[in-house]
Amino acid sequence: MIFHIAATAFFASTIGAICGIGGGVIIKPVMDAFGVMDVSVINFLSGCTVLSMTCYSVIKAKRAGDSQIEFAIDTPLAIGAAIGGLAGKELFGVVAKLFDNPNTAGVRCRRAFCCW
């Protein structure tokens, strides 16, 4: 199981860096397809991976001197992202409570990779 988690996080981080998308877009559906963990654990792991990717990118840009922070623009964006994340978490909690089993709110397959 740990191999699947590490491989998925590495793949998502690599593809995310190449394409400029968040790795969570890949991590969440793939881990849901494996069906080895609860949805809340998968959300946490996805968030931690994306946070570590973000921190790495910011530190790398700062060291290279490529970082141009404009506090007038960046601060409202950061606050909006935090509010959106909290609202999304709450909304997911509401949706998960609509089902008898909270894991039903995530996509679960009988076999890995059978969703498509």
Side-chain angles (χ1 to χ4, degrees):
M1 180 169 75
I2 292 176
F3 173 76
H4 291 298
I5 296 168
T8 302
F10 179 76
F11 175 74
S13 299
T14 303
I15 296 299
I18 291 170
C19 300
I21 61 171
V25 172
I26 298 169
I27 294 172
K28 176 87 171 84
V30 170
M31 294 304 295
D32 276 341
F34 283 128
V36 293
M37 290 181 233
D38 290 339
V39 173
S40 60
V41 174
I42 293 170
N43 287 341
F44 176 74
L45 290 174
S46 176
C48 288
T49 304
V50 172
L51 178 62
S52 65
M53 288 170 44
T54 303
C55 290
Y56 174 77
S57 295
V58 169
I59 292 169
K60 182 180 171 186
K62 277 295 223 189
R63 284 189 173 175
D66 294 338
S67 177
Q68 297 178 356
I69 297 174
E70 296 181 29
F71 288 103
I73 295 173
D74 297 342
T75 302
L77 285 175
I79 293 170
I83 292 170
L86 293 172
K89 180 183 175 199
E90 290 300 317
L91 182 60
F92 181 80
V94 169
V95 171
K97 288 180 184 177
L98 296 174
F99 299 97
D100 293 332
N101 181 0
N103 287 326
T104 306
V107 177
R108 290 289 170 115
C109 299
R110 303 272 186 249
R111 293 172 285 149
F113 304 113
C114 69
C115 295
W116 33 92

